[in-house]
PDB file of all heavy atoms in Angstrom:
ATOM      1  N   GLU A   1      -3.201   2.644 -11.292  1.00 93.00           N
ATOM      2  CA  GLU A   1      -3.306   1.400 -10.522  1.00 93.00           C
ATOM      3  C   GLU A   1      -1.941   0.747 -10.354  1.00 93.00           C
ATOM      4  O   GLU A   1      -1.642   0.171  -9.314  1.00 93.00           O
ATOM      5  CB  GLU A   1      -4.250   0.400 -11.215  1.00 93.00           C
ATOM      6  CG  GLU A   1      -5.647   0.895 -11.410  1.00 93.00           C
ATOM      7  CD  GLU A   1      -5.833   1.621 -12.744  1.00 93.00           C
ATOM      8  OE1 GLU A   1      -4.926   1.585 -13.600  1.00 93.00           O
ATOM      9  OE2 GLU A   1      -6.884   2.248 -12.898  1.00 93.00           O
ATOM     10  N   TYR A   2      -1.110   0.857 -11.390  1.00 97.00           N
ATOM     11  CA  TYR A   2       0.209   0.235 -11.348  1.00 97.00           C
ATOM     12  C   TYR A   2       1.098   0.872 -10.287  1.00 97.00           C
ATOM     13  O   TYR A   2       1.919   0.187  -9.675  1.00 97.00           O
ATOM     14  CB  TYR A   2       0.868   0.302 -12.726  1.00 97.00           C
ATOM     15  CG  TYR A   2       0.032  -0.385 -13.777  1.00 97.00           C
ATOM     16  CD1 TYR A   2      -0.646   0.342 -14.729  1.00 97.00           C
ATOM     17  CD2 TYR A   2      -0.106  -1.775 -13.769  1.00 97.00           C
ATOM     18  CE1 TYR A   2      -1.443  -0.285 -15.673  1.00 97.00           C
ATOM     19  CE2 TYR A   2      -0.901  -2.409 -14.711  1.00 97.00           C
ATOM     20  CZ  TYR A   2      -1.560  -1.664 -15.656  1.00 97.00           C
ATOM     21  OH  TYR A   2      -2.350  -2.285 -16.583  1.00 97.00           O
ATOM     22  N   VAL A   3       0.933   2.143 -10.072  1.00 97.00           N
ATOM     23  CA  VAL A   3       1.685   2.827  -9.016  1.00 97.00           C
ATOM     24  C   VAL A   3       1.289   2.239  -7.663  1.00 97.00           C
ATOM     25  O   VAL A   3       2.141   1.902  -6.840  1.00 97.00           O
ATOM     26  CB  VAL A   3       1.441   4.351  -9.056  1.00 97.00           C
ATOM     27  CG1 VAL A   3       1.978   5.029  -7.815  1.00 97.00           C
ATOM     28  CG2 VAL A   3       2.050   4.956 -10.317  1.00 97.00           C
ATOM     29  N   LEU A   4      -0.017   2.087  -7.438  1.00 96.00           N
ATOM     30  CA  LEU A   4      -0.478   1.523  -6.168  1.00 96.00           C
ATOM     31  C   LEU A   4      -0.031   0.077  -6.015  1.00 96.00           C
ATOM     32  O   LEU A   4       0.289  -0.365  -4.905  1.00 96.00           O
ATOM     33  CB  LEU A   4      -1.996   1.641  -6.053  1.00 96.00           C
ATOM     34  CG  LEU A   4      -2.514   3.083  -6.026  1.00 96.00           C
ATOM     35  CD1 LEU A   4      -4.026   3.092  -5.987  1.00 96.00           C
ATOM     36  CD2 LEU A   4      -1.935   3.846  -4.863  1.00 96.00           C
ATOM     37  N   LEU A   5       0.018  -0.663  -7.114  1.00 96.00           N
ATOM     38  CA  LEU A   5       0.519  -2.042  -7.066  1.00 96.00           C
ATOM     39  C   LEU A   5       1.992  -2.067  -6.656  1.00 96.00           C
ATOM     40  O   LEU A   5       2.398  -2.897  -5.833  1.00 96.00           O
ATOM     41  CB  LEU A   5       0.328  -2.705  -8.422  1.00 96.00           C
ATOM     42  CG  LEU A   5       0.758  -4.154  -8.541  1.00 96.00           C
ATOM     43  CD1 LEU A   5      -0.054  -5.030  -7.600  1.00 96.00           C
ATOM     44  CD2 LEU A   5       0.599  -4.628  -9.971  1.00 96.00           C
ATOM     45  N   GLU A   6       2.785  -1.153  -7.198  1.00 97.00           N
ATOM     46  CA  GLU A   6       4.198  -1.075  -6.817  1.00 97.00           C
ATOM     47  C   GLU A   6       4.360  -0.698  -5.346  1.00 97.00           C
ATOM     48  O   GLU A   6       5.219  -1.241  -4.652  1.00 97.00           O
ATOM     49  CB  GLU A   6       4.932  -0.055  -7.686  1.00 97.00           C
ATOM     50  CG  GLU A   6       5.139  -0.505  -9.102  1.00 97.00           C
ATOM     51  CD  GLU A   6       5.796   0.541  -9.973  1.00 97.00           C
ATOM     52  OE1 GLU A   6       5.515   1.756  -9.783  1.00 97.00           O
ATOM     53  OE2 GLU A   6       6.593   0.163 -10.839  1.00 97.00           O
ATOM     54  N   VAL A   7       3.542   0.228  -4.874  1.00 97.00           N
ATOM     55  CA  VAL A   7       3.605   0.624  -3.462  1.00 97.00           C
ATOM     56  C   VAL A   7       3.198  -0.561  -2.577  1.00 97.00           C
ATOM     57  O   VAL A   7       3.840  -0.833  -1.560  1.00 97.00           O
ATOM     58  CB  VAL A   7       2.719   1.854  -3.189  1.00 97.00           C
ATOM     59  CG1 VAL A   7       2.706   2.192  -1.701  1.00 97.00           C
ATOM     60  CG2 VAL A   7       3.208   3.047  -3.995  1.00 97.00           C
ATOM     61  N   ALA A   8       2.149  -1.269  -2.973  1.00 96.00           N
ATOM     62  CA  ALA A   8       1.721  -2.452  -2.220  1.00 96.00           C
ATOM     63  C   ALA A   8       2.830  -3.491  -2.172  1.00 96.00           C
ATOM     64  O   ALA A   8       3.068  -4.109  -1.131  1.00 96.00           O
ATOM     65  CB  ALA A   8       0.458  -3.046  -2.839  1.00 96.00           C
ATOM     66  N   ASN A   9       3.506  -3.683  -3.271  1.00 96.00           N
ATOM     67  CA  ASN A   9       4.618  -4.636  -3.310  1.00 96.00           C
ATOM     68  C   ASN A   9       5.734  -4.192  -2.368  1.00 96.00           C
ATOM     69  O   ASN A   9       6.300  -4.995  -1.628  1.00 96.00           O
ATOM     70  CB  ASN A   9       5.141  -4.775  -4.737  1.00 96.00           C
ATOM     71  CG  ASN A   9       6.203  -5.831  -4.842  1.00 96.00           C
ATOM     72  OD1 ASN A   9       6.018  -6.963  -4.406  1.00 96.00           O
ATOM     73  ND2 ASN A   9       7.326  -5.474  -5.448  1.00 96.00           N
ATOM     74  N   PHE A  10       6.055  -2.898  -2.387  1.00 95.00           N
ATOM     75  CA  PHE A  10       7.100  -2.368  -1.510  1.00 95.00           C
ATOM     76  C   PHE A  10       6.740  -2.552  -0.035  1.00 95.00           C
ATOM     77  O   PHE A  10       7.598  -2.810   0.798  1.00 95.00           O
ATOM     78  CB  PHE A  10       7.334  -0.888  -1.813  1.00 95.00           C
ATOM     79  CG  PHE A  10       8.399  -0.258  -0.974  1.00 95.00           C
ATOM     80  CD1 PHE A  10       9.737  -0.410  -1.303  1.00 95.00           C
ATOM     81  CD2 PHE A  10       8.071   0.479   0.153  1.00 95.00           C
ATOM     82  CE1 PHE A  10      10.726   0.166  -0.530  1.00 95.00           C
ATOM     83  CE2 PHE A  10       9.063   1.062   0.942  1.00 95.00           C
ATOM     84  CZ  PHE A  10      10.388   0.902   0.596  1.00 95.00           C
ATOM     85  N   LEU A  11       5.457  -2.428   0.279  1.00 95.00           N
ATOM     86  CA  LEU A  11       4.983  -2.529   1.665  1.00 95.00           C
ATOM     87  C   LEU A  11       4.367  -3.897   1.963  1.00 95.00           C
ATOM     88  O   LEU A  11       3.473  -4.017   2.787  1.00 95.00           O
ATOM     89  CB  LEU A  11       3.958  -1.421   1.941  1.00 95.00           C
ATOM     90  CG  LEU A  11       4.489   0.003   1.825  1.00 95.00           C
ATOM     91  CD1 LEU A  11       3.354   1.008   1.888  1.00 95.00           C
ATOM     92  CD2 LEU A  11       5.524   0.277   2.907  1.00 95.00           C
ATOM     93  N   SER A  12       4.839  -4.937   1.297  1.00 94.00           N
ATOM     94  CA  SER A  12       4.214  -6.254   1.431  1.00 94.00           C
ATOM     95  C   SER A  12       4.693  -7.063   2.646  1.00 94.00           C
ATOM     96  O   SER A  12       4.105  -8.097   2.942  1.00 94.00           O
ATOM     97  CB  SER A  12       4.436  -7.073   0.158  1.00 94.00           C
ATOM     98  OG  SER A  12       5.813  -7.317  -0.045  1.00 94.00           O
ATOM     99  N   ARG A  13       5.718  -6.585   3.337  1.00 93.00           N
ATOM    100  CA  ARG A  13       6.130  -7.283   4.559  1.00 93.00           C
ATOM    101  C   ARG A  13       5.017  -7.184   5.588  1.00 93.00           C
ATOM    102  O   ARG A  13       4.251  -6.210   5.616  1.00 93.00           O
ATOM    103  CB  ARG A  13       7.400  -6.656   5.130  1.00 93.00           C
ATOM    104  CG  ARG A  13       8.632  -6.933   4.312  1.00 93.00           C
ATOM    105  CD  ARG A  13       9.919  -6.482   4.990  1.00 93.00           C
ATOM    106  NE  ARG A  13       9.774  -6.247   6.419  1.00 93.00           N
ATOM    107  CZ  ARG A  13      10.268  -5.196   7.053  1.00 93.00           C
ATOM    108  NH1 ARG A  13      10.933  -4.284   6.400  1.00 93.00           N
ATOM    109  NH2 ARG A  13      10.096  -5.061   8.342  1.00 93.00           N
ATOM    110  N   ALA A  14       4.919  -8.172   6.434  1.00 92.00           N
ATOM    111  CA  ALA A  14       3.828  -8.226   7.422  1.00 92.00           C
ATOM    112  C   ALA A  14       3.743  -6.943   8.252  1.00 92.00           C
ATOM    113  O   ALA A  14       2.648  -6.441   8.508  1.00 92.00           O
ATOM    114  CB  ALA A  14       4.009  -9.438   8.332  1.00 92.00           C
ATOM    115  N   ASP A  15       4.887  -6.412   8.655  1.00 90.00           N
ATOM    116  CA  ASP A  15       4.895  -5.193   9.484  1.00 90.00           C
ATOM    117  C   ASP A  15       4.423  -3.956   8.726  1.00 90.00           C
ATOM    118  O   ASP A  15       4.020  -2.967   9.345  1.00 90.00           O
ATOM    119  CB  ASP A  15       6.302  -4.928  10.020  1.00 90.00           C
ATOM    120  CG  ASP A  15       6.767  -5.992  10.991  1.00 90.00           C
ATOM    121  OD1 ASP A  15       5.923  -6.757  11.486  1.00 90.00           O
ATOM    122  OD2 ASP A  15       7.980  -6.058  11.252  1.00 90.00           O
ATOM    123  N   ASP A  16       4.490  -3.984   7.397  1.00 92.00           N
ATOM    124  CA  ASP A  16       4.171  -2.814   6.588  1.00 92.00           C
ATOM    125  C   ASP A  16       2.778  -2.846   5.969  1.00 92.00           C
ATOM    126  O   ASP A  16       2.333  -1.846   5.410  1.00 92.00           O
ATOM    127  CB  ASP A  16       5.191  -2.665   5.452  1.00 92.00           C
ATOM    128  CG  ASP A  16       6.588  -2.369   5.957  1.00 92.00           C
ATOM    129  OD1 ASP A  16       6.707  -1.767   7.036  1.00 92.00           O
ATOM    130  OD2 ASP A  16       7.553  -2.734   5.264  1.00 92.00           O
ATOM    131  N   LYS A  17       2.098  -3.972   6.059  1.00 93.00           N
ATOM    132  CA  LYS A  17       0.784  -4.080   5.410  1.00 93.00           C
ATOM    133  C   LYS A  17      -0.217  -3.070   5.967  1.00 93.00           C
ATOM    134  O   LYS A  17      -1.022  -2.514   5.227  1.00 93.00           O
ATOM    135  CB  LYS A  17       0.245  -5.499   5.528  1.00 93.00           C
ATOM    136  CG  LYS A  17       0.990  -6.455   4.616  1.00 93.00           C
ATOM    137  CD  LYS A  17       0.428  -7.849   4.683  1.00 93.00           C
ATOM    138  CE  LYS A  17       1.246  -8.751   3.768  1.00 93.00           C
ATOM    139  NZ  LYS A  17       0.743 -10.100   3.735  1.00 93.00           N
ATOM    140  N   SER A  18      -0.147  -2.804   7.243  1.00 94.00           N
ATOM    141  CA  SER A  18      -1.074  -1.829   7.827  1.00 94.00           C
ATOM    142  C   SER A  18      -0.786  -0.415   7.311  1.00 94.00           C
ATOM    143  O   SER A  18      -1.696   0.406   7.191  1.00 94.00           O
ATOM    144  CB  SER A  18      -1.006  -1.857   9.355  1.00 94.00           C
ATOM    145  OG  SER A  18       0.274  -1.489   9.804  1.00 94.00           O
ATOM    146  N   VAL A  19       0.471  -0.134   6.981  1.00 94.00           N
ATOM    147  CA  VAL A  19       0.834   1.170   6.426  1.00 94.00           C
ATOM    148  C   VAL A  19       0.176   1.335   5.056  1.00 94.00           C
ATOM    149  O   VAL A  19      -0.403   2.385   4.752  1.00 94.00           O
ATOM    150  CB  VAL A  19       2.374   1.321   6.314  1.00 94.00           C
ATOM    151  CG1 VAL A  19       2.749   2.609   5.605  1.00 94.00           C
ATOM    152  CG2 VAL A  19       3.013   1.234   7.685  1.00 94.00           C
ATOM    153  N   PHE A  20       0.234   0.283   4.240  1.00 95.00           N
ATOM    154  CA  PHE A  20      -0.405   0.360   2.925  1.00 95.00           C
ATOM    155  C   PHE A  20      -1.917   0.476   3.060  1.00 95.00           C
ATOM    156  O   PHE A  20      -2.553   1.258   2.346  1.00 95.00           O
ATOM    157  CB  PHE A  20      -0.052  -0.847   2.054  1.00 95.00           C
ATOM    158  CG  PHE A  20      -0.720  -0.777   0.711  1.00 95.00           C
ATOM    159  CD1 PHE A  20      -0.284   0.126  -0.248  1.00 95.00           C
ATOM    160  CD2 PHE A  20      -1.804  -1.584   0.413  1.00 95.00           C
ATOM    161  CE1 PHE A  20      -0.922   0.222  -1.473  1.00 95.00           C
ATOM    162  CE2 PHE A  20      -2.447  -1.499  -0.801  1.00 95.00           C
ATOM    163  CZ  PHE A  20      -1.997  -0.594  -1.763  1.00 95.00           C
ATOM    164  N   LEU A  21      -2.490  -0.281   3.969  1.00 94.00           N
ATOM    165  CA  LEU A  21      -3.937  -0.216   4.171  1.00 94.00           C
ATOM    166  C   LEU A  21      -4.363   1.194   4.574  1.00 94.00           C
ATOM    167  O   LEU A  21      -5.354   1.720   4.050  1.00 94.00           O
ATOM    168  CB  LEU A  21      -4.381  -1.233   5.214  1.00 94.00           C
ATOM    169  CG  LEU A  21      -5.871  -1.262   5.519  1.00 94.00           C
ATOM    170  CD1 LEU A  21      -6.679  -1.553   4.269  1.00 94.00           C
ATOM    171  CD2 LEU A  21      -6.170  -2.274   6.601  1.00 94.00           C
ATOM    172  N   GLU A  22      -3.637   1.827   5.465  1.00 94.00           N
ATOM    173  CA  GLU A  22      -3.949   3.193   5.885  1.00 94.00           C
ATOM    174  C   GLU A  22      -3.848   4.157   4.704  1.00 94.00           C
ATOM    175  O   GLU A  22      -4.708   5.029   4.518  1.00 94.00           O
ATOM    176  CB  GLU A  22      -3.018   3.633   7.014  1.00 94.00           C
ATOM    177  CG  GLU A  22      -3.235   5.049   7.474  1.00 94.00           C
ATOM    178  CD  GLU A  22      -4.569   5.277   8.155  1.00 94.00           C
ATOM    179  OE1 GLU A  22      -5.143   4.319   8.699  1.00 94.00           O
ATOM    180  OE2 GLU A  22      -5.045   6.433   8.133  1.00 94.00           O
ATOM    181  N   LEU A  23      -2.812   4.010   3.897  1.00 94.00           N
ATOM    182  CA  LEU A  23      -2.654   4.849   2.710  1.00 94.00           C
ATOM    183  C   LEU A  23      -3.836   4.657   1.765  1.00 94.00           C
ATOM    184  O   LEU A  23      -4.421   5.622   1.281  1.00 94.00           O
ATOM    185  CB  LEU A  23      -1.339   4.518   2.001  1.00 94.00           C
ATOM    186  CG  LEU A  23      -1.105   5.205   0.662  1.00 94.00           C
ATOM    187  CD1 LEU A  23      -0.989   6.716   0.826  1.00 94.00           C
ATOM    188  CD2 LEU A  23       0.124   4.635  -0.018  1.00 94.00           C
ATOM    189  N   LEU A  24      -4.206   3.419   1.520  1.00 93.00           N
ATOM    190  CA  LEU A  24      -5.313   3.129   0.623  1.00 93.00           C
ATOM    191  C   LEU A  24      -6.634   3.692   1.149  1.00 93.00           C
ATOM    192  O   LEU A  24      -7.415   4.279   0.389  1.00 93.00           O
ATOM    193  CB  LEU A  24      -5.423   1.616   0.419  1.00 93.00           C
ATOM    194  CG  LEU A  24      -6.312   1.127  -0.697  1.00 93.00           C
ATOM    195  CD1 LEU A  24      -5.868   1.696  -2.038  1.00 93.00           C
ATOM    196  CD2 LEU A  24      -6.314  -0.381  -0.732  1.00 93.00           C
ATOM    197  N   LEU A  25      -6.864   3.577   2.432  1.00 94.00           N
ATOM    198  CA  LEU A  25      -8.079   4.125   3.021  1.00 94.00           C
ATOM    199  C   LEU A  25      -8.126   5.646   2.882  1.00 94.00           C
ATOM    200  O   LEU A  25      -9.183   6.226   2.601  1.00 94.00           O
ATOM    201  CB  LEU A  25      -8.203   3.712   4.488  1.00 94.00           C
ATOM    202  CG  LEU A  25      -8.490   2.228   4.739  1.00 94.00           C
ATOM    203  CD1 LEU A  25      -8.387   1.915   6.222  1.00 94.00           C
ATOM    204  CD2 LEU A  25      -9.833   1.830   4.188  1.00 94.00           C
ATOM    205  N   ARG A  26      -6.993   6.297   3.072  1.00 91.00           N
ATOM    206  CA  ARG A  26      -6.943   7.758   2.923  1.00 91.00           C
ATOM    207  C   ARG A  26      -7.190   8.183   1.479  1.00 91.00           C
ATOM    208  O   ARG A  26      -7.865   9.184   1.215  1.00 91.00           O
ATOM    209  CB  ARG A  26      -5.613   8.306   3.412  1.00 91.00           C
ATOM    210  CG  ARG A  26      -5.480   8.276   4.909  1.00 91.00           C
ATOM    211  CD  ARG A  26      -4.084   8.731   5.339  1.00 91.00           C
ATOM    212  NE  ARG A  26      -3.923   8.628   6.750  1.00 91.00           N
ATOM    213  CZ  ARG A  26      -3.837   9.678   7.554  1.00 91.00           C
ATOM    214  NH1 ARG A  26      -3.865  10.900   7.072  1.00 91.00           N
ATOM    215  NH2 ARG A  26      -3.688   9.512   8.857  1.00 91.00           N
ATOM    216  N   LEU A  27      -6.635   7.423   0.538  1.00 90.00           N
ATOM    217  CA  LEU A  27      -6.851   7.741  -0.873  1.00 90.00           C
ATOM    218  C   LEU A  27      -8.321   7.547  -1.243  1.00 90.00           C
ATOM    219  O   LEU A  27      -8.901   8.379  -1.956  1.00 90.00           O
ATOM    220  CB  LEU A  27      -5.964   6.871  -1.760  1.00 90.00           C
ATOM    221  CG  LEU A  27      -4.474   7.154  -1.681  1.00 90.00           C
ATOM    222  CD1 LEU A  27      -3.699   6.106  -2.466  1.00 90.00           C
ATOM    223  CD2 LEU A  27      -4.164   8.553  -2.175  1.00 90.00           C
ATOM    224  N   ARG A  28      -8.918   6.500  -0.786  1.00 90.00           N
ATOM    225  CA  ARG A  28     -10.339   6.253  -1.062  1.00 90.00           C
ATOM    226  C   ARG A  28     -11.217   7.336  -0.434  1.00 90.00           C
ATOM    227  O   ARG A  28     -12.200   7.760  -1.030  1.00 90.00           O
ATOM    228  CB  ARG A  28     -10.765   4.880  -0.537  1.00 90.00           C
ATOM    229  CG  ARG A  28     -10.265   3.753  -1.392  1.00 90.00           C
ATOM    230  CD  ARG A  28     -10.750   2.434  -0.879  1.00 90.00           C
ATOM    231  NE  ARG A  28     -10.339   1.365  -1.760  1.00 90.00           N
ATOM    232  CZ  ARG A  28     -10.382   0.097  -1.442  1.00 90.00           C
ATOM    233  NH1 ARG A  28     -10.843  -0.276  -0.245  1.00 90.00           N
ATOM    234  NH2 ARG A  28     -10.002  -0.823  -2.289  1.00 90.00           N
TER     235      ARG A  28
END
């Protein structure tokens, strides 16, 4: 979970949030 938290933090800019969401959806 901590790895995903770090990735979310890295992609926390408004332009990057959709990138994290797509990654999370693929992992799920």
